[in-house]
Amino acid sequence: ALPTNRLSHALDTAIAAIGKTLSWLWIATLAVVLTNVFSRFILGRGSIALEEMSWHLFGATMILTLAYAVVTDDHVRVDVLREKFSLRFQAWVELLGIVLLMLPILYFMIDNLIEYAYRSFDRGERSQAPSGLPYRFIIKSTLPIGMILIAIALSSRALRCCTYLFHFPRELHLRRPTDFR
């Protein structure tokens, strides 16, 4: 119900496109999990690499597609309480929550996670298991990337709250409603 503006529309469109593209990783995750289950329980041959790959793909897919849930407003919230408030109050709570809580927390997380991923790359970190996966920095790099995408999605949401509350930035009147699903 929040109005959109030029910048929020561009950010939402970009996050939606990235989210839709990355959602195909769920197919890869499912394929790896099914292959792991088949090889372990049907063939009787477990694989540490397949087990780790399923964990890594699940984690990477989850963190990289979370911003899409923010843009489409499909994330978890306490709707029982939220529905009782006016749209204006909801917008104020959302704006203050994003600006005072979420964006500062995301900033510190991104700052630390970039260093975390870089250290892994610099050390050539790999799985501790002998037959585990190499290049651990790849999975660790998805963490700051996912957090950056979430920060962009939340910034867009905050801009939409500002458009509703302060009429700035100006509302963008689209010819047809935008549905990112």
Side-chain angles (χ1 to χ4, degrees):
L2 291 173
T4 189
N5 54 64
R6 271 188 211 284
L7 184 53
S8 69
H9 179 70
L11 294 174
D12 287 349
T13 302
I15 292 293
I18 292 167
K20 285 179 182 178
T21 302
L22 291 174
S23 67
W24 285 97
L25 286 174
W26 286 115
I27 303 296
T29 303
L30 182 63
V32 169
V33 168
L34 290 176
T35 302
N36 187 30
V37 168
F38 182 78
S39 69
R40 175 182 265 178
F41 294 107
I42 305 297
L43 301 177
R45 298 182 196 146
S47 168
I48 298 295
L50 270 178
E51 187 77 27
E52 287 184 1
M53 180 61 78
S54 66
W55 301 339
H56 289 198
L57 274 174
F58 180 81
T61 305
M62 181 63 78
I63 196 71
L64 293 172
T65 57
L66 195 55
Y68 179 73
V70 172
V71 166
T72 57
D73 207 21
D74 286 336
H75 55 90
V76 177
R77 67 169 83 228
V78 186
D79 284 334
V80 175
L81 296 175
R82 187 175 187 266
E83 289 176 357
K84 297 181 187 222
F85 301 127
S86 69
L87 183 59
R88 186 166 210 68
F89 187 77
Q90 290 175 19
W92 270 109
V93 169
E94 203 158 345
L95 179 62
L96 292 174
I98 290 169
V99 172
L100 298 177
L101 294 173
M102 289 306 299
L103 291 179
I105 289 169
L106 284 170
Y107 170 78
F108 288 116
M109 288 177 72
I110 292 165
D111 187 45
N112 287 307
L113 287 171
I114 288 171
E115 185 177 329
Y116 177 68
Y118 179 75
R119 265 195 322 260
S120 178
F121 171 76
D122 194 39
R123 294 177 182 162
E125 187 179 352
R126 57 173 291 121
S127 172
Q128 293 176 348
S131 61
L133 297 175
Y135 312 119
R136 180 82 31 110
F137 73 91
I138 295 172
I139 185 64
K140 290 184 176 185
S141 296
T142 62
L143 296 171
I145 293 168
M147 293 297 160
I148 289 168
L149 292 173
I150 293 167
I152 292 168
L154 287 172
S155 297
S156 172
R157 188 75 179 182
L159 284 168
R160 292 178 70 196
C161 289
C162 287
T163 297
Y164 178 75
L165 294 170
F166 311 119
H167 305 290
F168 182 81
R170 282 189 295 156
E171 185 174 350
L172 177 64
H173 296 285
L174 300 171
R175 291 196 174 101
R176 58 190 167 128
T178 304
D179 188 7
F180 294 109
R181 293 180 188 164

